Amino acid sequence: MFIDGRFVLNEADLQQRLGSALGYGPYYRHDLGDLHLHLAAGDPRPVKLVWIHPQAVRLALGVALFDTYVETLQRIAADDEGRHWNERFVFRILD
């Protein structure tokens, strides 16, 4: 799954894109805490999330919030590193 930063307008837009891409239904709260809960619990797996044009996401979210998202997603990916591929979350940023 790809998130193209050129089309991310703000955090609400990013959350909408992530929620839709990950298949989260109407009970998804569209916030970083809920995203973390779902991904850390293994919902869904396997998934590879790639952010392209991350500088645009950084501009849309601001540096602090962008860094918080990246750190959260990297932490979840790191927790999954020892698992088999069909059980992993992989996160990449492509500049």
Side-chain angles (χ1 to χ4, degrees):
M1 149 182 33
F2 289 89
I3 299 293
D4 189 335
R6 296 175 296 179
F7 303 107
V8 174
L9 305 174
N10 53 37
E11 184 181 15
D13 183 53
L14 174 62
Q15 280 292 332
Q16 182 65 39
R17 291 172 189 278
L18 288 168
S20 294
L22 293 166
Y24 296 156
Y27 299 106
Y28 179 60
R29 293 190 319 249
H30 293 92
D31 63 42
L32 183 57
D34 205 28
L35 178 67
H36 179 263
L37 286 174
H38 281 321
L39 287 174
D43 180 24
R45 292 294 191 278
V47 67
K48 183 175 184 178
L49 173 60
V50 179
W51 280 8
I52 57 175
H53 305 288
Q55 300 303 340
V57 179
R58 182 179 281 126
L59 286 173
L61 300 182
V63 174
L65 187 54
F66 174 83
D67 288 347
T68 301
Y69 269 87
V70 170
E71 289 167 7
T72 299
L73 295 171
Q74 286 176 335
R75 190 173 340 116
I76 294 166
D79 289 345
D80 278 10
E81 281 182 2
R83 297 181 181 185
H84 297 287
W85 167 243
N86 63 348
E87 300 172 349
R88 289 181 63 192
F89 171 74
V90 177
F91 176 62
R92 300 282 184 261
I93 296 178
L94 300 179
D95 285 319

